Amino acid sequence: LFNKARVRLSLGTSSEEESAVKQLVDKLISLMGLEVETFVEEREKDFYVNVTGTDSAIFIGKHGESIEQFQTVINYIYNKNKSRDEAKHITIDSNKYAERRTETLTNLAKRTAGKVIREHKDFKFEAMNSYERRIIHSALANNDKVITESYGN
């Protein structure tokens, strides 16, 4: 009769780690001179940072290169003195760019797999970063008609 809805309740408090991530992100963004706001969410095993504002497109960069490099730098700085057990991954997003990119790559992987199956020809994607390659592999992991392989860094 009724659909159940999930409600997320926030008390407006943040952990020391969440505050440290926000300070680090805000400091680097201020050095870049961008007009954006940051929102940090601590999850069970990682952090999610959303960057919004008038300079979001500049922050994302061409084909997501700037946001990807920013994420790499943030993760390196934040985790450099932590043990493997203490380290937490920080995902940087802007206006749901990462979500849209994941959806786009997943659809591309499935369409390409269909074409490979129909034509019985191998296909080679253009160069991708490790995060994008992982999306392609994950999208096709349950497809027993294709094999995915990665080469390079």
Side-chain angles (χ1 to χ4, degrees):
L1 225 164
F2 295 100
N3 289 333
K4 293 183 181 180
R6 290 185 182 191
V7 176
R8 177 178 229 154
L9 181 62
S10 175
L11 300 176
T13 60
S14 60
S15 71
E16 286 182 34
E17 280 189 289
E18 187 176 311
S19 296
V21 169
K22 180 158 179 49
Q23 286 178 346
L24 175 60
V25 169
D26 287 346
K27 183 176 181 178
L28 284 180
I29 287 176
S30 72
L31 292 171
M32 297 167 69
L34 299 177
E35 300 263 339
V36 294
E37 289 185 65
T38 60
F39 304 91
V40 178
E41 176 186 348
E42 185 172 7
R43 297 175 176 173
E44 191 173 319
K45 296 181 181 179
D46 64 351
F47 294 97
Y48 175 81
V49 178
N50 191 28
V51 179
T52 62
T54 55
D55 289 338
S56 293
I58 295 167
F59 181 73
I60 294 169
K62 186 177 182 180
H63 302 296
E65 290 175 3
S66 296
I67 196 170
E68 175 192 323
Q69 292 169 359
F70 186 87
Q71 179 172 294
T72 300
V73 169
I74 287 291
N75 276 284
Y76 174 77
I77 293 170
Y78 184 75
N79 291 307
K80 72 178 178 181
N81 294 322
K82 293 185 167 54
S83 71
R84 194 169 218 169
D85 292 337
E86 296 172 318
K88 286 189 173 184
H89 182 73
I90 302 169
T91 300
I92 307 292
D93 199 359
S94 183
N95 299 320
K96 299 197 182 255
Y97 173 79
E99 185 179 309
R100 290 191 316 269
R101 185 70 177 144
T102 298
E103 186 177 322
T104 298
L105 288 171
T106 299
N107 290 336
L108 175 64
K110 290 177 180 179
R111 281 195 321 271
T112 303
K115 183 178 178 181
V116 165
I117 293 166
R118 279 191 313 277
E119 297 178 3
H120 300 287
K121 289 184 181 178
D122 290 351
F123 182 85
K124 184 177 179 181
F125 286 102
E126 291 183 26
M128 295 181 180
N129 63 51
S130 61
Y131 174 74
E132 291 175 331
R133 290 192 305 267
R134 188 176 16 219
I135 293 169
I136 297 291
H137 290 299
S138 296
L140 300 176
N142 295 325
N143 187 333
D144 57 357
K145 295 181 181 180
V146 296
I147 296 170
T148 62
E149 295 177 317
S150 290
Y151 301 99
N153 297 330

